[in-house]
Amino acid sequence: MSYASAQDLIDRFGAAELIALTDRAGAGEIDATVVARALADADATIDSYVGRHYRLPLAPVPGRVVRVACDLVRRYLYTARPTDDVLAAEKAALAWLRDVSTGAATLDVAGNEPAAVDTQVLAEPGRRLFTPDSLRAW
């Protein structure tokens, strides 16, 4: 499951831009294989940030995640000389993903509460690992 689709990209950036970025064979159409690869790369990037606090895959996909995925895909498709707008959108997307990973931003995903973190503290009462005698050689 991808967080965005080729149609999401067309709706946001237009078919002409996608053809220009993906049509490496000169066929005059969007290369679905190139788009699919960029979508998978964007999904992996998003999962690496979001998976820290949320169960994956996200379902339903929040609109903000779709937008971030589209911005990342667009940047990945600009293999040479991305525009300032493309770089700014990528920077903003990654900053927001960092906020999600640290808990400073949250996702509106009903029924997908943050994943529990397994934290255990192990201790042996009464046993001291460091004592004056064990540290004497230091």
Side-chain angles (χ1 to χ4, degrees):
M1 179 192 100
S2 188
Y3 294 126
S5 67
Q7 188 60 53
D8 291 324
L9 296 168
I10 293 168
D11 293 345
R12 288 176 190 278
F13 310 121
E17 183 175 354
L18 289 177
I19 291 169
L21 294 172
T22 66
D23 184 19
R24 296 175 184 158
E29 57 190 37
I30 297 169
D31 186 329
T33 303
V34 174
V35 171
R37 188 176 318 114
L39 285 166
D41 290 345
D43 292 346
T45 299
I46 292 167
D47 285 350
S48 71
Y49 286 95
V50 174
R52 186 169 184 187
H53 293 289
Y54 295 90
R55 284 184 218 101
L56 299 174
L58 297 174
V61 179
R64 179 75 187 258
V65 173
V66 174
R67 187 173 86 214
V68 164
C70 288
D71 288 340
L72 292 175
V73 168
R74 188 180 189 204
R75 171 59 184 99
Y76 298 156
L77 293 175
Y78 268 89
T79 55
R81 293 190 235 157
T83 66
D84 290 340
D85 290 343
V86 170
L87 292 173
E90 176 196 32
K91 184 177 179 180
L94 293 174
W96 182 76
L97 287 171
R98 274 191 294 278
D99 286 346
V100 171
S101 76
T102 63
T106 59
L107 297 177
D108 183 21
V109 284
N112 190 358
E113 292 74 28
V117 177
D118 183 22
T119 56
Q120 286 184 317
V121 177
L122 302 176
E124 285 184 42
R127 181 172 181 256
R128 293 176 59 189
L129 185 57
F130 300 105
T131 65
D133 288 333
S134 71
L135 295 174
R136 202 171 305 269
W138 289 87

